[in-house]
Amino acid sequence: NFLYGTDINEMTVVKSFLRFLNEFRMPETEGPRSLYTQQLHRLWEESTQKERGIKFPISADHIHTFSASLYQQMVNFPTEVIPIFDRELWSLSVRLLDAEPESLGVCQ
């Protein structure tokens, strides 16, 4: 399933992005969770109005370090790839928090 007007396979983007979220670590990352799953969990826990969603910053440098091809896809086709990132962040949030989908707003 290729994204319209591109040579990018959506499932490849999804798998690469989820692997990045679940595996990327910095030297100071502690515990069993990756840097971004720790941050995602913390932001949702600190949110007082979960139904309004959260803004979740991700470093493009981190993406580039982890996967040059994922970075290139993001840079070359941002309007197609970034919404996939947002959707997968939200799906991961629902799983991490064991939340009802209706209880969480968007994650961007």
Side-chain angles (χ1 to χ4, degrees), residues 4 6 8 19-20 25 34 36 39 47 54 56 60 65 68-69 72 74 79 82 84 89 99 101 107:
Y4 182 78
T6 75
I8 297 174
R19 198 166 59 79
F20 165 74
R25 300 176 74 82
S34 69
Y36 286 107
Q39 290 178 355
S47 174
I54 60 170
F56 188 71
T65 299
S69 64
Q72 282 304 118
M74 178 187 71
T79 57
I82 292 174
I84 295 170
L89 277 170
C107 185

Side-chain angles (χ1 to χ4, degrees), residues 18-97:
L18 288 175
R19 198 166 59 79
F20 165 74
L21 290 173
N22 287 309
E23 295 178 14
F24 185 82
R25 300 176 74 82
M26 296 292 287
E28 64 273 6
T29 305
E30 295 179 9
R33 289 188 176 158
S34 69
L35 174 69
Y36 286 107
T37 55
Q38 285 180 24
Q39 290 178 355
L40 189 61
H41 193 269
R42 186 178 68 248
L43 272 176
W44 279 115
E45 289 299 315
E46 292 171 355
S47 174
T48 58
Q49 296 180 309
K50 290 178 177 49
E51 67 281 353
R52 296 184 94 188
I54 60 170
K55 300 289 184 199
F56 188 71
I58 294 177
S59 169
D61 287 337
H62 291 170
I63 292 175
H64 186 265
T65 299
F66 190 81
S67 171
S69 64
L70 182 60
Y71 176 82
Q72 282 304 118
Q73 292 168 340
M74 178 187 71
V75 170
N76 292 335
F77 303 102
T79 57
E80 292 82 5
V81 172
I82 292 174
I84 295 170
F85 288 2
D86 292 344
R87 182 189 70 214
E88 295 306 317
L89 277 170
W90 180 83
S91 294
L92 180 61
S93 297
V94 170
R95 289 191 305 275
L96 273 177
L97 300 173

